[in-house]
Amino acid sequence: MARHRHVSVCAGPRNSLDLLQQTRLVPEAPALDTKSAHLYLLSAPFVALGGLSPSEKEMAKTQVPLHQRYFRKQAGLTNRWQFQFCPSCDLLGIAQANKAVRVGLNETLMRIMSADTPVSLSAEQKTLKEIADLRTESRGLSVQFPKAKAKLRRRLFSDQGAPHEMLFSYTQKVTEGLEPDVTLECLGFQWDLHRMYLFKSQVLADLLASAVSDHAMYCMDNKTRKETRHYRQCLLGGWKDKKLGEKKQKMRKVILGLNINNPDVTRYAFAVALKNLYNSEMEVNEEDVLGILATAALLEFPSLFQKCVQVMRSSISPANVCSYYSAGCKYKQPSLISDCERWIEVNLVPQLGSQIHLRKLPLELLQKVLKSSRLFTFSEFHLLRITLCWVFLQQNPKIQIIPSYDTVLTYFSSLPKICSFLEKEIGQRYIAIFQSLRLHGITSSKYLEELWQINFLPLPWLTRILSDHYYALENGGDMAFQRDFNTQAVRFGLVLTQEPRYHAEIISIYGFFFEIKAIKHDASAYSFYMQRVKHADPIISFFTAECSPVSLKQERAVKYEIKVQCQIDGKWQEFATDRLTQRFGIKKPSCKSKVLKVYAPSVPIYVTFSLLFPSSLG
């Protein structure tokens, strides 16, 4: 086995061993043979670990003494060994990091763990560039390169050291060295606390009351009660009193025991909760908020519990929205539940649908969101695709990467063709979800053919969709079987960010083409409208014009609504036109809809155009 030794390099002319100090694992240098044929072979590991360019791969004139160094530490789930920084010669590591950026993984695989702290891939790539710049600027010198710094929010306690020890250090700083008078035995640790701080938690206060004698707690005379009140005020107010230590010594130290069987309550979360007993303002980290919430609920610590709910409501993202929703249901927090539902209504298609976290979405919540009038989507087909992907993830719980749509189609196509998937026993629980979709809004023959090939929907459903389309095409676009605008209007959507200032897309339905537009006038003023365009208009792509049916009708009655959703001061706001019926021609002014003007100071902005073709009049 190779021995490992430390290398000390002095500043001087740069050679193949100058950068050995960058590494964490360097094998012992073998004795160099005088034969030139073996020199480059023996020195190759050192040249590679040093990260030199090909022009700098020169042999050292003298052998540098090596002695013991630290081992590299294991990182990630790939069982690879990594340096505590990323040398430029680590081609395998860089390739794997780049691949991880391109592929959507679950929360377990999304980070490469460095030696001490989680470091995002973007942070590592930035550090690589900084290291390369340092190397260029400091040729001929011995340089100690900085380690990558984590971009994540700093934890309330360091990851190093036991939580109870870190808590003791913090409490001693807050109380300025006052001796603890309570020992709480919980989660395998003994937590040293001060009794007068425990009254923020009802559970700890009750434990303390039961641990002290009836005479000491309930039958104390007025003088003793007054002393206890003064002692509590001094601690909570951070005051110092000359006799405070003496009064404290009169109260005997008590030992409390608390059994916790909730797996959500971790030692770290418990330490954070106890730390907040000593704080006037609650401190909660987003990374551990679920564990702290569970601990606050267990300890009946109302101020900490509400702080956790507040942090969760302001930090909803694809990675945590489902967990936050489940926590809101568990602890009966309607405001948190409402915020999670609202976030999913607008972000199911743009964000959650393209990430593996979609699997955690409960069936009942998905069905409720699909029925919501505030649901945003780019088209009805996008909702169908996401719903099929969600079913695929429920049937394949071990999948760790969000599948492509072709993968989903291949999976369902491979199932036995005895009956459709929804008619099977395993698929019947999903029927209500697909009944909530507006499948009549999928008019592309390509998508309908794929639905038929995978044998997912019952045959009567497909027959009804195709017959409705045939009737509409035969009758100039009339959607005679879709009359309820709330549940049957066909939706198209746009999402606006900072740029561009002008956004337009072409949509087509039953041979009629419309351009949906969004225009940004200044920092916060927007206009939204749609207008009909001719089938031969240059803005229509050749593929769309060739593959879509074309209606030559000069006018088409359309019932429509334009809705805009955005956040203003942290609250979701809606702006919408009335539900209007207008006969759209192919020339101005009849080709243009009503313009919806909105003041929206923040992005993103979600715009939905809902259309329905009523029966022709006359």
Side-chain angles (χ1 to χ4, degrees):
M1 178 180 296
R3 290 173 295 168
H4 309 89
R5 301 188 297 177
H6 182 76
V7 180
S8 60
V9 182
C10 299
R14 186 183 180 96
N15 55 51
S16 59
L17 298 180
D18 280 346
L19 297 179
L20 284 181
Q21 62 173 346
Q22 301 171 25
T23 65
R24 286 292 183 181
L25 176 62
V26 179
E28 179 183 1
L32 295 180
D33 194 334
T34 57
K35 297 180 180 181
S36 60
H38 298 289
L39 293 182
Y40 283 93
L41 177 62
L42 293 176
S43 65
F46 300 99
V47 175
L49 292 175
L52 301 180
S53 62
S55 61
E56 297 171 317
K57 293 183 178 179
E58 301 176 355
M59 285 306 304
K61 303 283 185 176
T62 59
Q63 183 177 354
V64 179
L66 302 175
H67 52 86
Q68 185 67 35
R69 292 191 69 88
Y70 294 103
F71 286 97
R72 294 175 290 178
K73 297 184 179 181
Q74 190 171 5
L77 300 180
T78 59
N79 283 331
R80 292 177 55 250
W81 294 83
Q82 290 183 336
F83 294 110
Q84 290 190 354
F85 64 94
C86 287
S88 59
C89 60
D90 188 9
L91 301 181
L92 177 59
I94 295 174
Q96 290 186 346
N98 290 334
K99 182 178 179 181
V101 173
R102 295 192 301 267
V103 181
L105 302 177
N106 69 349
E107 66 272 18
T108 307
L109 302 177
M110 278 195 292
R111 298 187 184 95
I112 293 180
M113 303 298 292
S114 69
D116 298 323
T117 56
V119 181
S120 65
L121 294 177
S122 60
E124 288 187 353
Q125 296 299 329
K126 181 178 180 181
T127 304
L128 285 176
K129 185 177 183 302
E130 293 174 353
I131 291 176
D133 295 338
L134 283 174
R135 287 175 179 167
T136 303
E137 296 172 0
S138 56
R139 289 182 178 272
L141 298 177
S142 176
V143 182
Q144 184 67 34
F145 295 114
K147 297 181 180 179
K149 296 182 179 180
K151 294 293 185 180
L152 301 179
R153 182 187 295 267
R154 182 179 62 85
R155 277 193 162 196
L156 300 182
F157 287 127
S158 171
D159 291 335
Q160 300 179 358
H164 68 298
E165 295 175 353
M166 303 301 296
L167 176 67
F168 178 76
S169 176
Y170 178 80
T171 57
Q172 288 296 290
K173 184 184 298 184
V174 172
T175 60
E176 298 188 14
L178 288 177
E179 188 70 21
D181 53 11
V182 174
T183 298
L184 176 62
E185 296 180 347
C186 182
L187 297 176
F189 285 159
Q190 291 185 341
W191 312 81
D192 293 324
L193 306 170
H194 301 80
R195 70 176 65 192
M196 303 314 293
Y197 286 99
L198 304 186
F199 290 92
K200 290 183 180 180
S201 165
Q202 186 63 43
V203 170
L204 296 181
D206 293 342
L207 285 175
L208 180 62
S210 62
V212 187
S213 64
D214 293 339
H215 174 75
M217 290 298 297
Y218 304 108
C219 301
M220 59 178 65
D221 54 27
N222 291 335
K223 181 179 179 181
T224 307
R225 290 181 181 178
K226 191 176 298 183
E227 290 176 350
T228 303
R229 245 189 340 263
H230 176 66
Y231 171 71
R232 181 180 181 182
Q233 290 174 353
C234 289
L235 284 178
L236 293 178
W239 305 336
K240 281 298 174 184
D241 191 279
K242 294 181 179 179
K243 298 183 179 181
L244 185 59
E246 299 177 1
K247 294 176 181 179
K248 177 183 175 302
Q249 291 177 356
K250 295 180 181 179
M251 300 181 181
R252 65 186 182 89
K253 189 171 185 177
V254 297
I255 299 177
L256 309 178
L258 179 62
N259 294 324
I260 297 179
N261 298 320
N262 188 345
D264 295 332
V265 180
T266 64
R267 288 174 173 176
Y268 174 79
F270 193 75
V272 173
L274 295 181
K275 174 190 174 183
N276 278 287
L277 292 173
Y278 292 79
N279 295 340
S280 57
E281 295 184 3
M282 300 296 101
E283 298 180 6
V284 176
N285 191 294
E286 293 177 17
E287 183 181 353
D288 307 283
V289 66
L290 287 173
I292 301 172
L293 178 74
T295 305
L298 178 75
L299 296 178
E300 298 183 19
F301 193 165
S303 57
L304 180 60
F305 186 89
Q306 292 304 320
K307 178 63 176 181
C308 290
V309 173
Q310 178 184 350
V311 169
M312 293 166 72
R313 292 181 63 186
S314 62
S315 61
I316 298 176
S317 68
N320 58 37
V321 62
C322 297
S323 301
Y324 285 2
Y325 176 81
S326 299
C329 294
K330 180 178 180 180
Y331 299 110
K332 299 180 180 179
Q333 296 297 307
S335 61
L336 180 59
I337 294 174
S338 176
D339 286 351
C340 291
E341 291 177 350
R342 192 72 180 88
W343 188 93
I344 295 176
E345 285 173 348
V346 294
N347 289 293
L348 174 63
V349 175
Q351 295 192 48
L352 186 59
S354 59
Q355 301 193 28
I356 193 63
H357 309 294
L358 176 66
R359 121 170 342 120
K360 301 177 184 178
L361 190 63
L363 184 148
E364 302 80 16
L365 178 57
L366 176 59
Q367 182 177 350
K368 182 177 181 180
V369 168
L370 290 176
K371 291 182 177 180
S372 173
S373 60
R374 300 178 300 191
L375 175 62
F376 172 83
T377 182
F378 296 110
S379 67
E380 302 300 336
F381 171 72
H382 281 80
L383 288 176
L384 172 66
R385 185 171 63 181
I386 289 174
T387 309
L388 287 173
C389 181
W390 180 85
V391 175
F392 173 87
L393 293 173
Q394 304 308 305
Q395 298 301 308
N396 300 273
K398 294 184 179 180
I399 295 293
Q400 297 298 317
I401 300 176
I402 194 74
S404 65
Y405 184 59
D406 290 338
T407 301
V408 175
L409 295 179
T410 302
Y411 169 77
F412 289 115
S413 298
S414 65
L415 300 179
K417 306 293 185 182
I418 300 175
C419 61
S420 68
F421 180 83
L422 291 184
E423 292 175 319
K424 297 177 182 178
E425 184 177 355
I426 60 173
Q428 291 180 359
R429 60 191 295 257
Y430 306 122
I431 290 180
I433 292 178
F434 286 87
Q435 287 177 335
S436 303
L437 298 177
R438 304 180 185 183
L439 298 175
H440 60 273
I442 303 174
T443 58
S444 170
S445 59
K446 177 179 178 293
Y447 299 149
L448 293 173
E449 184 177 357
E450 290 173 346
L451 277 178
W452 175 77
Q453 289 176 349
I454 65 176
N455 196 32
F456 187 89
L457 299 176
L459 186 58
W461 291 27
L462 288 173
T463 304
R464 178 61 185 269
I465 295 171
L466 293 175
S467 63
D468 288 354
H469 290 342
Y470 181 81
Y471 179 89
L473 291 172
E474 285 288 312
N475 292 272
D478 291 354
M479 301 169 66
F481 303 101
Q482 287 79 42
R483 299 176 180 175
D484 186 355
F485 191 90
N486 290 327
T487 60
Q488 295 180 318
V490 181
R491 295 163 293 190
F492 302 91
L494 300 173
V495 176
L496 303 183
T497 54
Q498 294 290 349
E499 296 295 341
R501 301 180 64 89
Y502 178 87
H503 196 147
E505 289 188 12
I506 298 296
I507 61 175
S508 65
I509 180 170
Y510 298 137
F512 296 91
F513 297 90
F514 296 87
E515 184 181 21
I516 54 178
K517 291 186 176 183
I519 301 175
K520 183 178 181 180
H521 299 288
D522 53 38
S524 302
Y526 296 85
S527 295
F528 308 94
Y529 65 94
M530 68 178 185
Q531 66 181 18
R532 185 182 171 188
V533 295
K534 298 179 181 179
H535 67 279
D537 196 295
I539 65 174
I540 301 177
S541 67
F542 175 79
F543 178 81
T544 301
E546 286 292 315
C547 300
S548 300
V550 174
S551 176
L552 299 179
K553 292 187 65 173
Q554 294 297 311
E555 289 187 340
R556 172 67 257 180
V558 180
K559 188 174 184 179
Y560 69 93
E561 178 186 53
I562 305 174
K563 180 184 296 184
V564 174
Q565 302 179 77
C566 63
Q567 279 189 310
I568 300 178
D569 296 330
K571 296 182 179 180
W572 285 101
Q573 302 290 339
E574 292 185 40
F575 308 90
T577 63
D578 297 329
R579 290 177 185 170
L580 306 172
T581 301
Q582 176 180 334
R583 299 188 68 84
F584 281 83
I586 57 177
K587 296 181 180 180
K588 294 182 179 181
S590 62
C591 67
K592 186 176 180 180
S593 72
K594 179 180 179 180
V595 178
L596 175 62
K597 296 182 179 180
V598 173
Y599 175 81
S602 62
V603 291
I605 302 173
Y606 303 85
V607 190
T608 301
F609 296 82
S610 301
L611 311 177
L612 196 65
F613 291 175
S615 298
S616 299
L617 301 177

